[in-house]
Amino acid sequence: MCDSCGCNVTSGNRHLAYKPVKAGTSAVSVLKKLLAHNDDQAAHNRAHFDARGILTINLMSSPGSGKTALLEATIDALKDEFGLAVIEGDLETENDAARIRARGVPAHQITTGSACHLDAHMVHEALHQLDLSGVDILFVENVGNLVCPASFDLGQHRNVTLLSVTEGDDKPAKYPVMFRAADAVVLSKVDLLPVLDDFDPARAELCLRQLASTVPLLPVSARKGQGMTAWYDWLRSELAAQRARVALGKTAKPFIQLDGASLHAHAEVSV
Ligand SMILES: Nc1nc2c(ncn2[C@@H]2O[C@H](COP(=O)(O)OP(=O)(O)OP(=O)(O)O)[C@@H](O)[C@H]2O)c(=O)[nH]1
Ligand SMILES: [Zn+2]
Ligand SMILES: [Zn+2]
Ligand SMILES: [Zn+2]
């Protein structure tokens, strides 16, 4: 899809794609280099987070699977326990950032225009717009898309992929790149299971395990408060692990998917 949609040239890296080339050069492998630039920027972002002891979590899913609802419930439950902040990514509108701010937590909205994922340059600009003092956990809500976000390192420490029960239990089999990138999978909207007689949580888990994934699968309903304790405990243990790494001068990055990256690292483009 990305060969035709051009989604790898974003507002964050356009200056790299279209910088002038030397006289006599007619074409350059611009797009391949964009991912290398992205990784440099991501390492810089991660250094920002580690210097402050912040745990950064990237939320990825289909549009509408419940990322913002999960964040709203998490903020209500944990904002007195931890300093929280959110970077929101959407094609258009400030709606999600407004929902987060209404809960009393700082949020910066990135509107990508046509780009179907966030990149490290966009996140860098956003993080310099946020007051990160006192923040323990920074959430990045990626653009709703089950493909491209898996191939871009943003500087986060952990990836969380949401699968809502309205999407079908075979999604991990159909979108393996995204589910292989996950450090935890949240099965969302489980309050709807009684009316969805064709979604089998055991089958969804089997599809995930067939990818050789051993990560936690957390069934939750943000709306009804079901299963949320396990999610909060996962966040607490990840924050403790991040602090232990930082104390040792170490860091962590999630599994960026090279097979996803190959979707983006394509054409020779004339400039
Ligand atoms: N029944 C039920 N509905 C939910 C739950 N979580 C979210 N929803 C509904 O699902 C719809 C989408 O939720 P959002 O939280 O906006 O989803 P999102 O993933 O942030 O959406 P995008 O940012 O557009 O990709 C809304 O109508 C929510 O009210 C849940 O736990 N149970
Ligand atoms: Zn794409
Ligand atoms: Zn959202
Ligand atoms: Zn910086």
Side-chain angles (χ1 to χ4, degrees), residues 189-205:
K189 309 191 192 182
V190 295
D191 58 289
L192 297 176
L193 279 173
V195 291
L196 292 167
D197 56 6
D198 60 345
F199 189 101
D200 179 359
R203 182 151 179 258
E205 172 148 28

Side-chain angles (χ1 to χ4, degrees), residues 1-2 60-61 116-117 144-151 175 177-178 260 263-264:
M1 70 189 269
C2 301
M60 303 185 288
S61 78
C116 49
H117 56 267
N145 174 0
L146 271 186
V147 181
C148 311
S151 15
Y175 294 86
V177 170
M178 176 58 70
L263 294 168
H264 292 83

Side-chain angles (χ1 to χ4, degrees), residues 15-270:
H15 64 289
L16 299 167
Y18 298 116
K19 67 184 177 188
V21 293
K22 286 184 194 137
T25 309
S26 58
V28 285
S29 303
V30 172
L31 293 178
K32 281 181 201 160
K33 288 182 190 151
L34 290 181
L35 280 169
H37 280 288
N38 183 78
D39 290 351
D40 289 347
Q41 181 67 66
H44 172 84
N45 295 353
R46 197 173 282 108
H48 273 295
F49 303 138
D50 291 342
R52 293 175 174 276
I54 294 173
L55 170 69
T56 300
I57 294 185
N58 177 33
L59 295 177
M60 303 185 288
S61 78
S62 306
S65 61
K67 299 178 291 298
T68 312
L70 181 71
L71 288 175
E72 290 172 314
T74 303
I75 289 164
D76 288 349
L78 299 186
K79 76 174 175 194
D80 294 334
E81 185 177 343
F82 301 119
L84 304 173
V86 181
I87 293 174
E88 286 286 350
D90 276 310
L91 268 60
E92 299 282 347
T93 87
E94 283 263 337
N95 293 359
D96 282 1
R99 284 168 61 182
I100 298 300
R101 286 185 208 118
R103 298 301 227 258
V105 159
H108 182 83
Q109 181 80 48
I110 301 170
T111 46
T112 63
S114 59
C116 49
H117 56 267
L118 295 177
D119 68 22
H121 300 280
M122 296 173 182
V123 169
H124 184 247
E125 282 172 26
L127 73 92
H128 280 289
Q129 306 289 320
L130 276 172
D131 180 6
L132 293 177
S133 54
V135 171
D136 299 303
I137 305 176
L138 173 68
F139 293 99
V140 179
E141 181 184 330
N142 218 308
V143 178
N145 174 0
L146 271 186
V147 181
C148 311
S151 15
F152 286 82
D153 187 358
L154 307 176
Q156 78 274 32
H157 303 101
R158 290 290 177 245
N159 281 333
V160 172
T161 301
L162 276 73
L163 166 61
S164 66
V165 299
T166 54
E167 293 173 75
D169 51 21
D170 59 351
K171 278 293 170 300
K174 292 164 99 172
Y175 294 86
V177 170
M178 176 58 70
F179 286 91
R180 274 194 221 112
D183 297 293
V185 173
V186 168
L187 186 62
S188 61
K189 309 191 192 182
V190 295
D191 58 289
L192 297 176
L193 279 173
V195 291
L196 292 167
D197 56 6
D198 60 345
F199 189 101
D200 179 359
R203 182 151 179 258
E205 172 148 28
L206 183 65
C207 290
L208 178 67
R209 301 302 172 215
Q210 281 173 342
L211 304 176
S213 172
T214 57
V215 304
L217 177 65
L218 306 170
V220 310
S221 167
R223 168 136 348 144
K224 305 283 184 193
Q226 292 165 238
M228 297 298 280
T229 305
W231 162 243
Y232 301 144
D233 285 345
W234 185 81
L235 291 174
R236 289 186 185 102
S237 71
E238 286 297 331
L239 180 58
Q242 165 66 357
R243 292 196 166 144
R245 281 191 297 269
V246 165
L248 296 171
K250 294 183 176 171
T251 193
K253 63 185 229 182
F255 302 115
I256 307 305
Q257 292 297 293
L258 296 176
D259 43 356
S262 67
L263 294 168
H264 292 83
H266 40 71
E268 297 272 326
V269 240
S270 296

